């Protein structure tokens, strides 16, 4: 069970994964050792699943973010496995979701430029026999950056 102190701890580690036990304890009005034990318990219970660095796409030469909807040609387990194997090989695809509705998958992609996005769609996604149709939306701006989960 997540109590209010756990919720505050989760918000704090989502905002700064490198927060020290001392700083976490001060924020939660706990000793550093109590804060560290709570954090360790939440990790052991699988509530905290890992830590990651957030990178600046522009500093890596990535200027185009897009969402790509993929409609499958066939809905067999083999077609899905084939498609997901392909997606696993594409570093531009940073997230993939299965959906209800017209599209079967939604891909979040980062590319260097529009020709790179075009190459991804026309030379790597569409040639896959499992793929029937692809529709993309290019992100113009992201007024709200990726945020942590509500705790």
């Amino acid at each position: 069970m997540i109590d209010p102190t756990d919720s505050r701890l989760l918000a704090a580690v989502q905002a700064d994964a490198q927060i020290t036990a001392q700083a976490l304890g001060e924020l939660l009005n706990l000793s550093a050792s109590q804060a560290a034990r709570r954090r360790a318990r939440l990790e052991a219970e699988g509530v905290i699943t890992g830590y990651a660095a957030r990178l600046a796409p522009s500093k890596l030469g990535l200027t185009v973010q897009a969402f790509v909807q993929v409609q499958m040609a066939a809905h067999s387990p083999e077609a899905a496995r084939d498609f997901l194997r392909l997606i696993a090989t594409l570093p531009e695809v940073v997230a993939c979701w299965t959906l209800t509705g017209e599209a079967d998958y939604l891909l979040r992609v980062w590319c260097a430029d529009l020709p790179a996005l075009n190459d991804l769609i026309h030379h790597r996604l569409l040639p896959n026999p499992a793929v029937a149709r692809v529709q993309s939306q290019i992100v113009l701006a992201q007024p709200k950056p990726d945020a942590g989960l509500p705790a």
Side-chain angles (χ1 to χ4, degrees):
M1 199 71 186
I2 303 297
D3 66 24
T5 302
D6 289 339
S7 292
R8 291 192 349 258
L9 183 150
L10 293 171
V13 297
Q14 285 186 103
D16 178 6
Q18 294 182 312
I19 190 169
T20 65
Q22 181 66 40
L24 196 53
E26 290 171 11
L27 185 69
L28 303 174
N29 296 319
L30 299 173
S31 70
S33 61
Q34 288 173 314
R37 280 195 300 276
R38 274 185 181 259
R39 183 183 208 164
R41 177 181 53 79
L42 292 167
E43 291 168 350
E45 291 174 353
V47 176
I48 298 173
T49 60
Y51 300 91
R54 291 189 183 168
L55 307 179
S58 63
K59 300 287 185 183
L60 300 171
L62 301 171
T63 63
V64 175
Q65 179 180 201
F67 289 92
V68 179
Q69 296 177 15
V70 177
Q71 245 179 341
M72 300 296 283
H75 291 90
S76 68
E78 298 81 27
R81 274 194 301 275
D82 261 0
F83 179 72
L84 293 175
R85 265 196 299 274
L86 169 66
I87 294 306
T89 69
L90 302 174
E92 301 91 341
V93 178
V94 298
C96 174
W97 298 271
T98 57
L99 304 173
T100 61
E102 256 184 73
D104 296 299
Y105 293 94
L106 178 64
L107 311 178
R108 182 180 184 189
V109 304
W110 277 99
C111 295
D113 50 28
L114 290 176
L117 177 61
N118 184 62
D119 180 70
L120 174 68
I121 291 170
H122 288 98
H123 297 112
R124 294 189 276 161
L125 291 175
L126 284 172
N128 186 298
V131 175
R133 184 170 175 263
V134 170
Q135 182 178 4
S136 62
Q137 293 84 34
I138 295 169
V139 175
L140 298 176
Q142 189 174 348
K144 181 178 180 179
D146 294 342
L149 297 176

